[in-house]
């Protein structure tokens, strides 16, 4: 008989764990919050008390995985643990939803993909930006051929000041895998490449900078309030990454990601150029630029567009596991994405373009 309820164990009860609970699980009748896990027991206990007092609490995810009644885990830990926990979860026969980035290197992302396939379980990694109204509309617009051939574009997430958890795991390469390129790049590069029709990346060239490791801790970014800051902690990742990606079909993408840079204000965007139309996503808003009957024409949908991508992405995971819905994400796309980022860091180290 088809299962009606998904019993989920949340691993990592920090900022994003809470966001998953608030934006979706607390409103989702098909999900039972069965267990909470955090190496800090007060966090697992605190979340359980608040969201599901009957749920089990763990300090070690391996103990949580031993519970055969748990169907799926949602991984909201620091990046370096994503692959380890996901692979252990597949071995224990669970489905996995994981926060971005998929993993801190492409080999680990591939190991997650393979473990999911071997277990015959669902692996989905957060791609919340694919689920906004603007992204969904534009995906159809491109698929209908209305943009023509997309041959070039730009994407980025520039912050004036907004370093998450300075001195903590976010700014420690061994735990995060990198700075804004892996933290923010995974969002907007993914969105751009997905809208381009997922062409195969073949080469990357880029440079990274670390200019704000010391100095003021001011922030003007509402999106940077993640992770715990540690005074005097490690900061061995970049705060700006700027570069260029080439695809097999000849298309190119310029990219720029910063946690801190002297720009006017924070901006997250994708701009793609097609032979029939171009378009821009700026935050949750979008515009289409085209020509009709010899006139230049801008298309701007009225009103505020919805930006609850996280909730919709989590709902898609539940739909996939319970109802066999089409997943918005294929694990190979995650491997390709992390390979771009890894190639970028290598290019920055070597000072030249890197073939993927
Ligand atoms: N999709 C998005 O928009 C978005 C936004 C922010 C963060 N994230 C991602 O979410 C993940 C978590 O980020 P965050 O901001 O919540 O960080 P956080 O530091 O606030 O939370 C991480 C939690 O994991 C716990 N933890 C550490 N090691 C653990 C272990 N071995 N077992 C169990 N728990 C462990 C920590 O104690 C902490 O409570 C990261 O991968 C980050 O990239 C995604």
């Amino acid at each position: 008989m088809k299962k009606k309820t998904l019993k989920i164990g949340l691993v990592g009860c920090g900022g994003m764990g809470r966001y998953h609970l608030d934006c979706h699980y607390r409103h989702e009748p098909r999900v039972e919050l069965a267990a909470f896990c955090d190496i800090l027991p007060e966090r697992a206990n605190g979340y359980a008390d608040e969201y599901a007092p009957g749920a089990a609490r763990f300090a070690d995810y391996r103990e949580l995985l031993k519970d055969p009644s748990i169907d799926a885990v949602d991984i909201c830990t620091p990046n370096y643990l994503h692959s380890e926990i996901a692979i252990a979860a597949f071995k224990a026969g669970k489905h996995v939803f994981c926060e971005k980035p998929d993993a801190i290197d492409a080999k680990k992302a591939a190991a997650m993909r393979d473990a999911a396939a071997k277990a015959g379980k669902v692996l989905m990694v957060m791609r919340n930006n694919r689920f906004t109204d603007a992204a969904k509309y534009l995906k159809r617009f491109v698929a209908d051929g209305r943009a023509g051939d997309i041959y070039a574009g730009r994407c980025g997430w520039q912050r004036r000041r907004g370093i998450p958890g300075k001195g903590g795991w976010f700014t420690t390469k061994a735990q995060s895998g990198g700075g804004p390129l892996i933290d923010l790049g995974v969002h907007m590069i993914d969105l751009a490449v997905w809208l381009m029709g997922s062409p195969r990346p073949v080469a990357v060239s880029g440079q990274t900078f670390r200019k704000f490791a010391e100095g003021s801790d001011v922030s003007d970014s509402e999106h940077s309030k993640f992770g715990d800051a540690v005074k005097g902690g490690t900061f061995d990742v970049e705060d700006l990454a700027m570069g260029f990606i080439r695809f097999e079909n000849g298309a190119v993408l310029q990219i720029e990601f910063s946690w801190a840079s002297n720009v006017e204000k924070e901006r997250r965007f994708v701009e793609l150029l097609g032979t029939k139309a171009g378009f821009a996503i700026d935050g949750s808003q979008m515009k289409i630029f085209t020509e009709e009957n010899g006139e230049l024409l801008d298309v701007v949908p009225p009103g505020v567009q919805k930006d609850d991508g996280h909730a919709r992405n989590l709902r898609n995971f539940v739909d996939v596991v319970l109802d066999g819905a089409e997943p918005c994400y294929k694990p190979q796309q995650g491997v390709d994405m992390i390979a771009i980022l890894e190639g970028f860091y290598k290019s920055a180290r070597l000072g030249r373009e890197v073939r993927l």
Side-chain angles (χ1 to χ4, degrees):
M1 208 176 70
K2 214 165 97 177
K3 252 178 107 54
K4 291 204 174 69
T5 320
L6 195 62
K7 285 181 85 170
I8 288 191
L10 178 70
V11 184
C13 300
M16 211 50 202
R18 181 179 285 287
Y19 195 67
H20 287 194
L21 294 162
D22 285 340
C23 81
H24 189 59
Y25 293 141
R26 69 187 315 165
H27 315 293
E28 170 62 89
R30 296 172 301 166
V31 163
E32 182 187 334
L33 294 163
F36 293 81
C37 171
D38 200 291
I39 37 158
L40 300 175
E42 66 276 16
R43 291 198 177 168
N45 282 326
Y47 280 33
D49 289 346
E50 194 176 336
Y51 291 93
R57 299 113 197 263
F58 298 95
D60 184 337
Y61 72 84
R62 284 165 291 216
E63 295 302 316
L64 181 152
L65 294 178
K66 285 181 188 160
D67 180 343
S69 76
I70 292 175
D71 303 302
V73 292
D74 180 350
I75 304 171
C76 292
T77 61
N79 303 346
Y80 73 107
L81 293 163
H82 292 178
S83 52
E84 170 190 316
I85 299 173
I87 291 166
F90 291 129
K91 285 189 179 147
K94 319 288 185 208
H95 301 286
V96 172
F97 187 87
C98 183
E99 256 305 337
K100 48 59 57 170
D102 309 60
I104 58 169
D105 63 47
K107 210 170 148 194
K108 289 188 168 67
M112 287 164 78
R113 173 201 62 198
D114 295 346
K118 191 168 173 206
K121 297 289 169 187
V122 173
L123 166 62
M124 282 177 63
V125 179
M126 183 64 93
R127 291 293 190 264
N128 50 289
N129 289 282
R130 295 185 184 185
F131 283 86
T132 63
D133 282 350
K136 282 165 56 177
Y137 180 85
L138 289 170
K139 184 71 180 161
R140 279 197 308 276
F141 185 81
V142 173
D144 291 347
R146 293 164 69 198
D149 289 335
I150 296 183
Y151 56 93
R154 267 184 283 278
C155 72
W157 191 328
Q158 302 162 302
R159 283 190 188 152
R160 184 161 177 168
R161 296 291 185 279
I163 301 171
K166 195 173 179 185
W169 72 262
F170 267 103
T171 61
T172 302
K173 176 100 178 161
Q175 297 186 341
S176 58
L181 180 69
I182 194 161
D183 181 38
L184 308 177
V186 83
H187 282 299
M188 304 323 277
I189 299 172
D190 175 75
L191 179 56
V193 174
W194 181 67
L195 288 171
M196 291 165 88
S198 300
R200 197 170 74 83
V202 291
V204 190
S205 176
Q207 190 54 276
T208 58
F209 301 87
R210 182 166 60 246
K211 302 291 182 188
F212 291 83
E214 273 111 49
S216 93
D217 293 334
V218 61
S219 169
D220 68 343
S221 167
E222 53 159 335
H223 298 108
S224 70
K225 298 181 182 75
F226 286 94
D228 298 321
V230 177
K231 254 210 152 16
T234 305
F235 198 135
D236 62 355
V237 297
E238 81 283 0
D239 49 41
L240 168 69
M242 212 182 256
F244 192 75
I245 305 169
R246 293 177 191 277
F247 297 89
E248 196 174 28
N249 63 359
V252 295
L253 191 64
Q254 290 176 5
I255 62 174
E256 179 172 341
F257 294 93
S258 66
W259 280 338
S261 56
N262 287 321
V263 292
E264 186 188 3
K265 59 180 174 34
E266 180 163 11
R267 207 179 149 227
R268 64 192 156 108
F269 65 95
V270 170
E271 294 168 6
L272 293 177
L273 308 177
T275 47
K276 290 190 193 161
F279 53 82
I281 294 181
D282 201 330
S284 57
Q285 304 300 307
M286 71 157 191
K287 271 188 196 173
I288 295 171
F289 312 106
T290 186
E291 186 183 320
E292 237 177 65
N293 305 323
E295 303 272 4
L296 297 180
L297 179 73
D298 292 356
V299 181
V300 185
V304 178
Q305 292 155 49
K306 272 193 153 179
D307 190 10
D308 60 351
H310 297 85
R312 289 173 177 178
N313 202 155
L314 288 165
R315 193 175 312 129
N316 181 232
F317 175 66
V318 179
D319 292 343
V320 170
V321 175
L322 288 182
D323 302 331
E326 182 66 21
C328 77
Y329 156 98
K330 306 262 183 311
Q332 182 59 41
Q333 295 169 345
V335 180
D336 293 343
M337 167 56 50
I338 302 299
I340 291 176
L341 307 182
E342 208 175 311
F344 185 105
Y345 285 125
K346 186 171 173 194
S347 163
R349 256 191 338 270
L350 299 178
R352 61 168 171 78
E353 183 169 271
V354 164
R355 305 296 297 179
L356 298 175

